[in-house]
Amino acid sequence: MDFLTKTVTLKNGRQCLLRHPEEPDAEMLLHYLRTTSGETPYMVREADEVRTSIAEEIEFIRKKREDPGALMLLAFVDGSFAGSCSFAPAGAGNRTRHRCTASISLYRDFWGMGVGTALLGEIVSAAKAAGYEQMELTVVSANAPAIGLYQKLGFETTGTIPRAFKYRDGSYADFLFMVKNLV
């Protein structure tokens, strides 16, 4: 899906550039996945589970750019990579064609600046423009800052997935299932 690079001013006055990923970003994105997966217990995988090769990441970037029903954006604050956000179809069939799923993650150093609001706001607008009627996401129920962001942008909790994560220490975390109506 097409996206014109844009710059937004964050709540702290810093500049945030939003753009598509490019093939040369592959190594940076893999480092980011490993780092953010180790910074918080809210990511879907452990840092050592990120085993994607650079070639595989380049192919992922290419496919995202070519998919008219999906969009991935990167955020750079004053030139430093801060995080990413994306949406993709919720399913391939006619009955799910109206729905998309969203995901977002940021380096911890960029939490609370408004980067997530900027990224997710653009993703929501692009999904609406693409004709989606509903955006969905899951979030660990203990992740209060993320839940606050999602609620601020109009997402509502519609259910809970108990014990959605099982950590290496044997403990569990629940997911909240959140939905935003786009029509």
Side-chain angles (χ1 to χ4, degrees), residues 24-66:
D25 295 324
E27 190 170 351
M28 175 190 74
L29 287 170
L30 291 173
H31 177 264
Y32 156 75
L33 286 172
R34 287 183 194 98
T35 302
T36 55
S37 293
E39 285 183 329
T40 173
Y42 305 134
M43 299 291 282
V44 74
R45 66 182 65 88
E46 301 281 346
D48 62 359
E49 293 177 311
V50 178
R51 297 185 187 106
T52 305
S53 71
I54 292 174
E56 290 168 329
E57 189 67 11
I58 288 170
E59 181 65 12
F60 173 80
I61 291 167
R62 188 188 63 71
K63 284 184 177 179
K64 276 287 189 194
R65 289 288 304 260
E66 293 173 359

mmCIF file of all heavy atoms in Angstrom, residues 24-66:
data_model
loop_
_atom_site.group_PDB
_atom_site.id
_atom_site.type_symbol
_atom_site.label_atom_id
_atom_site.label_comp_id
_atom_site.label_asym_id
_atom_site.label_seq_id
_atom_site.Cartn_x
_atom_site.Cartn_y
_atom_site.Cartn_z
ATOM 1 N N PRO A 24 17.130 -1.865 2.516
ATOM 2 C CA PRO A 24 18.326 -1.649 3.351
ATOM 3 C C PRO A 24 18.036 -1.568 4.858
ATOM 4 O O PRO A 24 18.963 -1.615 5.666
ATOM 5 C CB PRO A 24 18.891 -0.320 2.835
ATOM 6 C CG PRO A 24 18.360 -0.183 1.450
ATOM 7 C CD PRO A 24 17.001 -0.831 1.479
ATOM 8 N N ASP A 25 16.746 -1.468 5.239
ATOM 9 C CA ASP A 25 16.369 -1.420 6.659
ATOM 10 C C ASP A 25 16.345 -2.801 7.312
ATOM 11 O O ASP A 25 16.151 -2.904 8.525
ATOM 12 C CB ASP A 25 14.970 -0.804 6.831
ATOM 13 C CG ASP A 25 14.898 0.638 6.405
ATOM 14 O OD1 ASP A 25 15.883 1.375 6.619
ATOM 15 O OD2 ASP A 25 13.842 1.038 5.863
ATOM 16 N N ALA A 26 16.526 -3.856 6.543
ATOM 17 C CA ALA A 26 16.327 -5.217 7.047
ATOM 18 C C ALA A 26 17.171 -5.513 8.284
ATOM 19 O O ALA A 26 16.653 -6.010 9.290
ATOM 20 C CB ALA A 26 16.606 -6.242 5.955
ATOM 21 N N GLU A 27 18.449 -5.232 8.238
ATOM 22 C CA GLU A 27 19.306 -5.533 9.387
ATOM 23 C C GLU A 27 18.901 -4.711 10.609
ATOM 24 O O GLU A 27 18.848 -5.222 11.723
ATOM 25 C CB GLU A 27 20.776 -5.278 9.027
ATOM 26 C CG GLU A 27 21.738 -5.788 10.078
ATOM 27 C CD GLU A 27 23.187 -5.742 9.613
ATOM 28 O OE1 GLU A 27 23.453 -5.470 8.424
ATOM 29 O OE2 GLU A 27 24.050 -6.004 10.456
ATOM 30 N N MET A 28 18.577 -3.436 10.398
ATOM 31 C CA MET A 28 18.118 -2.573 11.482
ATOM 32 C C MET A 28 16.830 -3.128 12.106
ATOM 33 O O MET A 28 16.674 -3.149 13.331
ATOM 34 C CB MET A 28 17.869 -1.164 10.941
ATOM 35 C CG MET A 28 17.268 -0.197 11.944
ATOM 36 S SD MET A 28 16.722 1.346 11.169
ATOM 37 C CE MET A 28 15.239 0.802 10.310
ATOM 38 N N LEU A 29 15.912 -3.612 11.275
ATOM 39 C CA LEU A 29 14.649 -4.149 11.780
ATOM 40 C C LEU A 29 14.850 -5.434 12.576
ATOM 41 O O LEU A 29 14.176 -5.648 13.591
ATOM 42 C CB LEU A 29 13.670 -4.373 10.624
ATOM 43 C CG LEU A 29 13.085 -3.091 10.040
ATOM 44 C CD1 LEU A 29 12.331 -3.395 8.752
ATOM 45 C CD2 LEU A 29 12.187 -2.402 11.041
ATOM 46 N N LEU A 30 15.762 -6.278 12.159
ATOM 47 C CA LEU A 30 16.037 -7.503 12.917
ATOM 48 C C LEU A 30 16.652 -7.174 14.285
ATOM 49 O O LEU A 30 16.279 -7.772 15.305
ATOM 50 C CB LEU A 30 16.940 -8.445 12.122
ATOM 51 C CG LEU A 30 16.279 -9.063 10.898
ATOM 52 C CD1 LEU A 30 17.294 -9.845 10.079
ATOM 53 C CD2 LEU A 30 15.105 -9.947 11.303
ATOM 54 N N HIS A 31 17.554 -6.211 14.317
ATOM 55 C CA HIS A 31 18.130 -5.768 15.602
ATOM 56 C C HIS A 31 17.025 -5.219 16.508
ATOM 57 O O HIS A 31 16.976 -5.507 17.708
ATOM 58 C CB HIS A 31 19.211 -4.707 15.360
ATOM 59 C CG HIS A 31 19.786 -4.169 16.618
ATOM 60 N ND1 HIS A 31 19.337 -3.002 17.205
ATOM 61 C CD2 HIS A 31 20.770 -4.645 17.422
ATOM 62 C CE1 HIS A 31 20.013 -2.786 18.314
ATOM 63 N NE2 HIS A 31 20.884 -3.770 18.468
ATOM 64 N N TYR A 32 16.139 -4.445 15.926
ATOM 65 C CA TYR A 32 15.000 -3.868 16.651
ATOM 66 C C TYR A 32 14.097 -4.964 17.224
ATOM 67 O O TYR A 32 13.703 -4.894 18.396
ATOM 68 C CB TYR A 32 14.256 -2.958 15.667
ATOM 69 C CG TYR A 32 12.819 -2.672 15.909
ATOM 70 C CD1 TYR A 32 12.413 -1.790 16.903
ATOM 71 C CD2 TYR A 32 11.840 -3.239 15.098
ATOM 72 C CE1 TYR A 32 11.076 -1.494 17.082
ATOM 73 C CE2 TYR A 32 10.515 -2.946 15.265
ATOM 74 C CZ TYR A 32 10.121 -2.064 16.253
ATOM 75 O OH TYR A 32 8.804 -1.773 16.425
ATOM 76 N N LEU A 33 13.788 -5.979 16.424
ATOM 77 C CA LEU A 33 12.948 -7.076 16.923
ATOM 78 C C LEU A 33 13.595 -7.777 18.107
ATOM 79 O O LEU A 33 12.933 -8.088 19.103
ATOM 80 C CB LEU A 33 12.669 -8.089 15.810
ATOM 81 C CG LEU A 33 11.679 -7.675 14.744
ATOM 82 C CD1 LEU A 33 11.647 -8.698 13.617
ATOM 83 C CD2 LEU A 33 10.297 -7.489 15.336
ATOM 84 N N ARG A 34 14.887 -8.034 18.018
ATOM 85 C CA ARG A 34 15.597 -8.700 19.121
ATOM 86 C C ARG A 34 15.617 -7.807 20.365
ATOM 87 O O ARG A 34 15.377 -8.273 21.479
ATOM 88 C CB ARG A 34 17.016 -9.059 18.701
ATOM 89 C CG ARG A 34 17.095 -10.207 17.725
ATOM 90 C CD ARG A 34 18.541 -10.586 17.378
ATOM 91 N NE ARG A 34 18.548 -11.441 16.217
ATOM 92 C CZ ARG A 34 18.781 -11.028 14.975
ATOM 93 N NH1 ARG A 34 19.083 -9.770 14.729
ATOM 94 N NH2 ARG A 34 18.744 -11.885 13.978
ATOM 95 N N THR A 35 15.900 -6.544 20.157
ATOM 96 C CA THR A 35 16.008 -5.626 21.296
ATOM 97 C C THR A 35 14.668 -5.408 21.977
ATOM 98 O O THR A 35 14.555 -5.545 23.200
ATOM 99 C CB THR A 35 16.598 -4.277 20.843
ATOM 100 O OG1 THR A 35 17.875 -4.510 20.249
ATOM 101 C CG2 THR A 35 16.756 -3.319 22.021
ATOM 102 N N THR A 36 13.638 -5.076 21.204
ATOM 103 C CA THR A 36 12.342 -4.808 21.819
ATOM 104 C C THR A 36 11.750 -6.072 22.449
ATOM 105 O O THR A 36 11.073 -5.980 23.477
ATOM 106 C CB THR A 36 11.339 -4.204 20.805
ATOM 107 O OG1 THR A 36 11.218 -5.068 19.666
ATOM 108 C CG2 THR A 36 11.765 -2.817 20.372
ATOM 109 N N SER A 37 12.033 -7.215 21.891
ATOM 110 C CA SER A 37 11.549 -8.468 22.491
ATOM 111 C C SER A 37 12.208 -8.730 23.838
ATOM 112 O O SER A 37 11.636 -9.410 24.689
ATOM 113 C CB SER A 37 11.800 -9.643 21.541
ATOM 114 O OG SER A 37 11.012 -9.520 20.386
ATOM 115 N N GLY A 38 13.395 -8.187 24.053
ATOM 116 C CA GLY A 38 14.080 -8.333 25.331
ATOM 117 C C GLY A 38 13.790 -7.217 26.314
ATOM 118 O O GLY A 38 14.059 -7.345 27.505
ATOM 119 N N GLU A 39 13.240 -6.096 25.837
ATOM 120 C CA GLU A 39 12.981 -4.939 26.703
ATOM 121 C C GLU A 39 11.710 -5.057 27.518
ATOM 122 O O GLU A 39 11.543 -4.350 28.509
ATOM 123 C CB GLU A 39 12.871 -3.655 25.856
ATOM 124 C CG GLU A 39 14.161 -3.127 25.346
ATOM 125 C CD GLU A 39 14.002 -1.821 24.583
ATOM 126 O OE1 GLU A 39 12.951 -1.600 23.938
ATOM 127 O OE2 GLU A 39 14.952 -1.031 24.636
ATOM 128 N N THR A 40 10.802 -5.897 27.102
ATOM 129 C CA THR A 40 9.488 -5.941 27.729
ATOM 130 C C THR A 40 8.901 -7.354 27.658
ATOM 131 O O THR A 40 9.170 -8.082 26.709
ATOM 132 C CB THR A 40 8.530 -4.944 27.034
ATOM 133 O OG1 THR A 40 7.215 -5.116 27.538
ATOM 134 C CG2 THR A 40 8.501 -5.153 25.542
ATOM 135 N N PRO A 41 8.084 -7.716 28.611
ATOM 136 C CA PRO A 41 7.411 -9.021 28.556
ATOM 137 C C PRO A 41 6.143 -9.005 27.711
ATOM 138 O O PRO A 41 5.387 -9.966 27.692
ATOM 139 C CB PRO A 41 7.068 -9.296 30.025
ATOM 140 C CG PRO A 41 6.851 -7.937 30.607
ATOM 141 C CD PRO A 41 7.850 -7.045 29.901
ATOM 142 N N TYR A 42 5.911 -7.916 26.989
ATOM 143 C CA TYR A 42 4.665 -7.771 26.243
ATOM 144 C C TYR A 42 4.759 -8.164 24.780
ATOM 145 O O TYR A 42 3.773 -8.145 24.056
ATOM 146 C CB TYR A 42 4.160 -6.328 26.351
ATOM 147 C CG TYR A 42 4.005 -5.856 27.773
ATOM 148 C CD1 TYR A 42 4.475 -4.619 28.165
ATOM 149 C CD2 TYR A 42 3.408 -6.662 28.736
ATOM 150 C CE1 TYR A 42 4.336 -4.178 29.463
ATOM 151 C CE2 TYR A 42 3.270 -6.242 30.037
ATOM 152 C CZ TYR A 42 3.734 -4.996 30.399
ATOM 153 O OH TYR A 42 3.599 -4.577 31.686
ATOM 154 N N MET A 43 5.945 -8.508 24.322
ATOM 155 C CA MET A 43 6.121 -8.901 22.919
ATOM 156 C C MET A 43 5.803 -10.387 22.753
ATOM 157 O O MET A 43 5.900 -11.163 23.697
ATOM 158 C CB MET A 43 7.551 -8.608 22.466
ATOM 159 C CG MET A 43 7.918 -7.138 22.535
ATOM 160 S SD MET A 43 7.066 -6.140 21.327
ATOM 161 C CE MET A 43 8.023 -6.543 19.889
ATOM 162 N N VAL A 44 5.496 -10.790 21.535
ATOM 163 C CA VAL A 44 5.027 -12.146 21.259
ATOM 164 C C VAL A 44 6.136 -13.191 21.338
ATOM 165 O O VAL A 44 5.858 -14.373 21.464
ATOM 166 C CB VAL A 44 4.298 -12.189 19.895
ATOM 167 C CG1 VAL A 44 5.272 -12.094 18.742
ATOM 168 C CG2 VAL A 44 3.429 -13.418 19.773
ATOM 169 N N ARG A 45 7.397 -12.753 21.280
ATOM 170 C CA ARG A 45 8.493 -13.734 21.326
ATOM 171 C C ARG A 45 9.603 -13.235 22.227
ATOM 172 O O ARG A 45 9.697 -12.056 22.537
ATOM 173 C CB ARG A 45 9.027 -13.997 19.923
ATOM 174 C CG ARG A 45 9.706 -12.796 19.296
ATOM 175 C CD ARG A 45 10.203 -13.040 17.888
ATOM 176 N NE ARG A 45 9.187 -13.300 16.910
ATOM 177 C CZ ARG A 45 8.544 -12.371 16.212
ATOM 178 N NH1 ARG A 45 8.806 -11.107 16.408
ATOM 179 N NH2 ARG A 45 7.641 -12.697 15.333
ATOM 180 N N GLU A 46 10.447 -14.174 22.626
ATOM 181 C CA GLU A 46 11.662 -13.857 23.376
ATOM 182 C C GLU A 46 12.711 -13.361 22.382
ATOM 183 O O GLU A 46 12.683 -13.706 21.201
ATOM 184 C CB GLU A 46 12.191 -15.113 24.081
ATOM 185 C CG GLU A 46 11.216 -15.756 25.049
ATOM 186 C CD GLU A 46 11.136 -15.054 26.384
ATOM 187 O OE1 GLU A 46 12.012 -14.216 26.696
ATOM 188 O OE2 GLU A 46 10.190 -15.348 27.130
ATOM 189 N N ALA A 47 13.672 -12.595 22.858
ATOM 190 C CA ALA A 47 14.705 -12.036 21.984
ATOM 191 C C ALA A 47 15.454 -13.124 21.212
ATOM 192 O O ALA A 47 15.741 -12.973 20.021
ATOM 193 C CB ALA A 47 15.683 -11.189 22.796
ATOM 194 N N ASP A 48 15.743 -14.242 21.869
ATOM 195 C CA ASP A 48 16.508 -15.306 21.208
ATOM 196 C C ASP A 48 15.671 -16.121 20.213
ATOM 197 O O ASP A 48 16.198 -16.988 19.523
ATOM 198 C CB ASP A 48 17.181 -16.222 22.230
ATOM 199 C CG ASP A 48 16.201 -16.950 23.135
ATOM 200 O OD1 ASP A 48 14.968 -16.752 23.019
ATOM 201 O OD2 ASP A 48 16.672 -17.721 23.987
ATOM 202 N N GLU A 49 14.384 -15.817 20.117
ATOM 203 C CA GLU A 49 13.517 -16.502 19.159
ATOM 204 C C GLU A 49 13.449 -15.771 17.815
ATOM 205 O O GLU A 49 12.835 -16.280 16.877
ATOM 206 C CB GLU A 49 12.110 -16.649 19.735
ATOM 207 C CG GLU A 49 12.057 -17.587 20.921
ATOM 208 C CD GLU A 49 10.672 -17.664 21.537
ATOM 209 O OE1 GLU A 49 10.060 -16.598 21.796
ATOM 210 O OE2 GLU A 49 10.206 -18.797 21.757
ATOM 211 N N VAL A 50 14.060 -14.602 17.723
ATOM 212 C CA VAL A 50 14.097 -13.874 16.453
ATOM 213 C C VAL A 50 15.229 -14.469 15.631
ATOM 214 O O VAL A 50 16.394 -14.200 15.868
ATOM 215 C CB VAL A 50 14.304 -12.356 16.676
ATOM 216 C CG1 VAL A 50 14.376 -11.629 15.339
ATOM 217 C CG2 VAL A 50 13.204 -11.784 17.554
ATOM 218 N N ARG A 51 14.864 -15.328 14.706
ATOM 219 C CA ARG A 51 15.856 -16.070 13.923
ATOM 220 C C ARG A 51 15.741 -15.801 12.426
ATOM 221 O O ARG A 51 16.313 -16.523 11.617
ATOM 222 C CB ARG A 51 15.690 -17.566 14.190
ATOM 223 C CG ARG A 51 15.953 -17.935 15.635
ATOM 224 C CD ARG A 51 15.901 -19.448 15.846
ATOM 225 N NE ARG A 51 15.994 -19.739 17.266
ATOM 226 C CZ ARG A 51 14.972 -20.136 18.005
ATOM 227 N NH1 ARG A 51 13.787 -20.313 17.471
ATOM 228 N NH2 ARG A 51 15.144 -20.375 19.297
ATOM 229 N N THR A 52 15.025 -14.778 12.065
ATOM 230 C CA THR A 52 14.844 -14.421 10.666
ATOM 231 C C THR A 52 16.178 -13.994 10.067
ATOM 232 O O THR A 52 16.931 -13.249 10.691
ATOM 233 C CB THR A 52 13.830 -13.264 10.560
ATOM 234 O OG1 THR A 52 12.629 -13.645 11.222
ATOM 235 C CG2 THR A 52 13.527 -12.911 9.123
ATOM 236 N N SER A 53 16.458 -14.442 8.857
ATOM 237 C CA SER A 53 17.687 -14.015 8.163
ATOM 238 C C SER A 53 17.451 -12.648 7.518
ATOM 239 O O SER A 53 16.304 -12.217 7.328
ATOM 240 C CB SER A 53 18.075 -15.033 7.091
ATOM 241 O OG SER A 53 17.156 -14.970 6.017
ATOM 242 N N ILE A 54 18.522 -11.996 7.148
ATOM 243 C CA ILE A 54 18.406 -10.710 6.458
ATOM 244 C C ILE A 54 17.661 -10.900 5.146
ATOM 245 O O ILE A 54 16.786 -10.097 4.788
ATOM 246 C CB ILE A 54 19.784 -10.056 6.259
ATOM 247 C CG1 ILE A 54 20.349 -9.632 7.619
ATOM 248 C CG2 ILE A 54 19.690 -8.858 5.316
ATOM 249 C CD1 ILE A 54 21.759 -9.093 7.586
ATOM 250 N N ALA A 55 17.952 -11.965 4.433
ATOM 251 C CA ALA A 55 17.258 -12.235 3.164
ATOM 252 C C ALA A 55 15.756 -12.422 3.389
ATOM 253 O O ALA A 55 14.931 -11.928 2.603
ATOM 254 C CB ALA A 55 17.848 -13.463 2.486
ATOM 255 N N GLU A 56 15.379 -13.124 4.443
ATOM 256 C CA GLU A 56 13.960 -13.316 4.756
ATOM 257 C C GLU A 56 13.296 -11.995 5.133
ATOM 258 O O GLU A 56 12.152 -11.736 4.763
ATOM 259 C CB GLU A 56 13.797 -14.330 5.894
ATOM 260 C CG GLU A 56 14.142 -15.748 5.507
ATOM 261 C CD GLU A 56 14.259 -16.689 6.696
ATOM 262 O OE1 GLU A 56 14.661 -16.244 7.799
ATOM 263 O OE2 GLU A 56 13.957 -17.886 6.509
ATOM 264 N N GLU A 57 14.012 -11.154 5.862
ATOM 265 C CA GLU A 57 13.459 -9.852 6.248
ATOM 266 C C GLU A 57 13.286 -8.953 5.021
ATOM 267 O O GLU A 57 12.290 -8.237 4.908
ATOM 268 C CB GLU A 57 14.344 -9.177 7.297
ATOM 269 C CG GLU A 57 13.742 -7.933 7.893
ATOM 270 C CD GLU A 57 12.502 -8.156 8.748
ATOM 271 O OE1 GLU A 57 12.170 -9.321 9.094
ATOM 272 O OE2 GLU A 57 11.844 -7.151 9.084
ATOM 273 N N ILE A 58 14.230 -9.007 4.098
ATOM 274 C CA ILE A 58 14.110 -8.237 2.857
ATOM 275 C C ILE A 58 12.868 -8.681 2.084
ATOM 276 O O ILE A 58 12.102 -7.853 1.588
ATOM 277 C CB ILE A 58 15.384 -8.373 1.999
ATOM 278 C CG1 ILE A 58 16.532 -7.577 2.647
ATOM 279 C CG2 ILE A 58 15.137 -7.919 0.558
ATOM 280 C CD1 ILE A 58 17.890 -7.821 2.022
ATOM 281 N N GLU A 59 12.638 -9.972 2.019
ATOM 282 C CA GLU A 59 11.454 -10.499 1.332
ATOM 283 C C GLU A 59 10.172 -10.056 2.050
ATOM 284 O O GLU A 59 9.184 -9.694 1.400
ATOM 285 C CB GLU A 59 11.518 -12.030 1.248
ATOM 286 C CG GLU A 59 10.351 -12.666 0.539
ATOM 287 C CD GLU A 59 10.255 -12.303 -0.935
ATOM 288 O OE1 GLU A 59 11.205 -11.739 -1.514
ATOM 289 O OE2 GLU A 59 9.188 -12.580 -1.525
ATOM 290 N N PHE A 60 10.182 -10.064 3.390
ATOM 291 C CA PHE A 60 9.031 -9.593 4.172
ATOM 292 C C PHE A 60 8.740 -8.125 3.845
ATOM 293 O O PHE A 60 7.590 -7.745 3.619
ATOM 294 C CB PHE A 60 9.318 -9.776 5.669
ATOM 295 C CG PHE A 60 8.278 -9.181 6.558
ATOM 296 C CD1 PHE A 60 7.090 -9.841 6.797
ATOM 297 C CD2 PHE A 60 8.497 -7.946 7.172
ATOM 298 C CE1 PHE A 60 6.114 -9.276 7.626
ATOM 299 C CE2 PHE A 60 7.542 -7.385 7.992
ATOM 300 C CZ PHE A 60 6.348 -8.051 8.223
ATOM 301 N N ILE A 61 9.780 -7.291 3.819
ATOM 302 C CA ILE A 61 9.621 -5.871 3.501
ATOM 303 C C ILE A 61 9.031 -5.715 2.100
ATOM 304 O O ILE A 61 8.097 -4.931 1.888
ATOM 305 C CB ILE A 61 10.979 -5.135 3.612
ATOM 306 C CG1 ILE A 61 11.415 -5.057 5.074
ATOM 307 C CG2 ILE A 61 10.909 -3.751 2.973
ATOM 308 C CD1 ILE A 61 12.871 -4.630 5.266
ATOM 309 N N ARG A 62 9.558 -6.447 1.147
ATOM 310 C CA ARG A 62 9.080 -6.365 -0.231
ATOM 311 C C ARG A 62 7.602 -6.724 -0.325
ATOM 312 O O ARG A 62 6.805 -6.018 -0.955
ATOM 313 C CB ARG A 62 9.906 -7.276 -1.140
ATOM 314 C CG ARG A 62 9.589 -7.103 -2.628
ATOM 315 C CD ARG A 62 10.278 -8.135 -3.493
ATOM 316 N NE ARG A 62 9.855 -9.500 -3.200
ATOM 317 C CZ ARG A 62 8.657 -10.022 -3.499
ATOM 318 N NH1 ARG A 62 7.763 -9.292 -4.114
ATOM 319 N NH2 ARG A 62 8.368 -11.271 -3.206
ATOM 320 N N LYS A 63 7.218 -7.813 0.324
ATOM 321 C CA LYS A 63 5.823 -8.249 0.286
ATOM 322 C C LYS A 63 4.896 -7.230 0.943
ATOM 323 O O LYS A 63 3.785 -6.995 0.459
ATOM 324 C CB LYS A 63 5.674 -9.621 0.939
ATOM 325 C CG LYS A 63 6.173 -10.746 0.067
ATOM 326 C CD LYS A 63 5.934 -12.090 0.692
ATOM 327 C CE LYS A 63 6.387 -13.185 -0.249
ATOM 328 N NZ LYS A 63 6.201 -14.514 0.315
ATOM 329 N N LYS A 64 5.321 -6.656 2.051
ATOM 330 C CA LYS A 64 4.510 -5.634 2.720
ATOM 331 C C LYS A 64 4.298 -4.437 1.796
ATOM 332 O O LYS A 64 3.200 -3.887 1.733
ATOM 333 C CB LYS A 64 5.172 -5.157 4.019
ATOM 334 C CG LYS A 64 4.904 -6.016 5.212
ATOM 335 C CD LYS A 64 3.495 -5.856 5.694
ATOM 336 C CE LYS A 64 3.331 -6.560 7.017
ATOM 337 N NZ LYS A 64 1.944 -6.720 7.384
ATOM 338 N N ARG A 65 5.346 -4.018 1.114
ATOM 339 C CA ARG A 65 5.245 -2.853 0.223
ATOM 340 C C ARG A 65 4.297 -3.123 -0.940
ATOM 341 O O ARG A 65 3.606 -2.222 -1.402
ATOM 342 C CB ARG A 65 6.626 -2.481 -0.334
ATOM 343 C CG ARG A 65 7.605 -1.880 0.624
ATOM 344 C CD ARG A 65 7.294 -0.457 1.031
ATOM 345 N NE ARG A 65 7.147 0.495 -0.041
ATOM 346 C CZ ARG A 65 8.055 1.349 -0.436
ATOM 347 N NH1 ARG A 65 9.226 1.374 0.158
ATOM 348 N NH2 ARG A 65 7.806 2.195 -1.404
ATOM 349 N N GLU A 66 4.277 -4.362 -1.422
ATOM 350 C CA GLU A 66 3.475 -4.705 -2.598
ATOM 351 C C GLU A 66 2.027 -5.059 -2.271
ATOM 352 O O GLU A 66 1.186 -5.095 -3.164
ATOM 353 C CB GLU A 66 4.130 -5.871 -3.339
ATOM 354 C CG GLU A 66 5.461 -5.515 -3.961
ATOM 355 C CD GLU A 66 6.179 -6.716 -4.555
ATOM 356 O OE1 GLU A 66 5.655 -7.851 -4.465
ATOM 357 O OE2 GLU A 66 7.270 -6.509 -5.124
#
